[in-house]
Amino acid sequence: MASRTIENYLKQLWLEQQDTRGKYVPMGKLAALVGVTAGTATTMVKAIADSGLAKYAPRAGVRLTKAGEQLALHVLRRHRLLELFLVEVLGIDWSDAHGEAEELEHVISETVLARIDSLLGHPSVDPHGDPIPSSAGKFETLELCSLAELNTGNATVIERIVDQSSEFLRFAQSSGLVPRAQVVIEHTNPQAGAISARPAGKEPVMLSMVAAAKFLVRPCNARRGKRRNRRPVPPVSP
Amino acid sequence: MASRTIENYLKQLWLEQQDTRGKYVPMGKLAALVGVTAGTATTMVKAIADSGLAKYAPRAGVRLTKAGEQLALHVLRRHRLLELFLVEVLGIDWSDAHGEAEELEHVISETVLARIDSLLGHPSVDPHGDPIPSSAGKFETLELCSLAELNTGNATVIERIVDQSSEFLRFAQSSGLVPRAQVVIEHTNPQAGAISARPAGKEPVMLSMVAAAKFLVRPCNARRGKRRNRRPVPPVSP
DNA sequence: TTATTTATTTTGATTACTCAAAGTACATGG
DNA sequence: CCATGTACTTTGAGTAATCAAAATAAATAA
Ligand SMILES: [Mn+2]
Ligand SMILES: [Mn+2]
Ligand SMILES: [Mn+2]
Ligand SMILES: [Mn+2]
């Protein structure tokens, strides 16, 4: 069994290598994500590679093997099911669930996880709209675009929020910008780099393009003029 | 914050020193309970003593200080609330709950614990009938006697079971000898060192005195003739 | 191309926990 | 009062994870 330290490395690696088909994750990046020095990451990655869970290319970076991906997906499944459980069953605040799950994901047994899963009705997304991998390690992502890509007058439903920081989540919740909320784009101002979005039954909210890009929505009908190459897979978060 | 290793030492120490007012717990005993060699226990206990959580007397043993007791009681509270939660909310098997809680007790946050506590309605005993310390670290024990101390014809209610091993718990459950179950003593045979107990609506069960002593009951009216000094506090289990 | 900056790796040390085995204290029983 | 066995402590060594700082490689700028 992988230690909790290694589980964390694997999960961060998976999240990071998701969008970069085939590219290696640089050591510095991984170190920052896990929260250790680069030297520590190098040492750990070599150990992980020795156990067959990753491929390590000195001075280039690291990438999970199939085995490593499977293990990472199981950790991710535990994490996201736990997040949903904490929010839905225990009433833990949305913005705190992530931190709690970060610890629990390493100690929960398969038995308990299975009970949680069935208690929640085998859900497919966590409280942030992030997809939950199946127990077989299968993982599906919807094609979504973000609030930043919509024009004035468009109406959509928020499906997913790709920022786990409690501050941002608290802001999102207090504005009414939560998964499953209907939203209308009131104004777009490309010059100012900002838009105004109004969640159904709430006050309009000003969002910078950076902030707007964190809200993934559906349907994604009307595209802004300049867009040509839609991003293939949205950035993924724990 | 105490590491999970130290939390385990503290909890075992507390359970062990409960009934022995003032006596020191010998190193060998503690080592066996925690599952390490005697040398390891000695080293750890010296560290624990240095941090003020226990008093260590070489060649005599170790005893928790007030501070150590408080910490131990918080771990015990987490353990027992989790056991009840696993059984009541998640439907985990009675006999598995202990092992699961043994891990979870070290990672659950105060916030999550408080939610669990209120979800369960601030319970006072865990699934084995063991009392749950209050969040302030207060701890109450009922005066109970055991099935082994009753005479033929006596009827009582099982309040508590003082053996956490899954095998014993599975046996107890399948026999109907669970907390809150009504039981009648059908026969006592001091010569054979065995009794026969019949749970309401179930078949009678043969129990050795050792096994019978693991079921604590109430009311405790009729005492066997030979008993004079009733045990002050019953043995405690995690 | 050479020099400088930046990213990465290596080295040496530290902390927490553990065991095996050697050494020491002590109760006990002759 | 010595001899011995048992319980306990000490010692030496190992594993997992970490950091700070020195060494190295690669990318970039001059
Ligand atoms: Mn984690
Ligand atoms: Mn999430
Ligand atoms: Mn434990
Ligand atoms: Mn218990």
Side-chain angles (χ1 to χ4, degrees), chain B residues 8 11 102 105-106:
Chain B
N8 281 332
K11 196 182 64 177
E102 200 58 50
E105 65 188 354
H106 308 293

Side-chain angles (χ1 to χ4, degrees), chain A residues 8 11 101-103 105-106:
Chain A
N8 280 332
K11 196 182 65 176
E102 200 58 50
E103 287 294 308
E105 64 188 356
H106 308 293

Side-chain angles (χ1 to χ4, degrees), chain A residues 130-177:
Chain A
D130 298 326
I132 298 173
S134 78
S135 59
K138 280 273 164 290
F139 180 79
E140 322 257 332
T141 317
L142 299 176
E143 278 277 338
L144 298 172
C145 67
S146 80
L147 271 192
E149 299 167 57
L150 299 182
N151 291 316
T152 304
N154 285 149
T156 49
V157 172
I158 296 179
E159 287 286 331
R160 188 170 173 189
I161 298 181
V162 289
D163 185 329
Q164 307 278 321
S165 76
S166 6
E167 308 82 54
F168 186 78
L169 291 175
R170 265 194 294 274
F171 155 73
Q173 181 152 51
S174 69
S175 313
L177 295 171

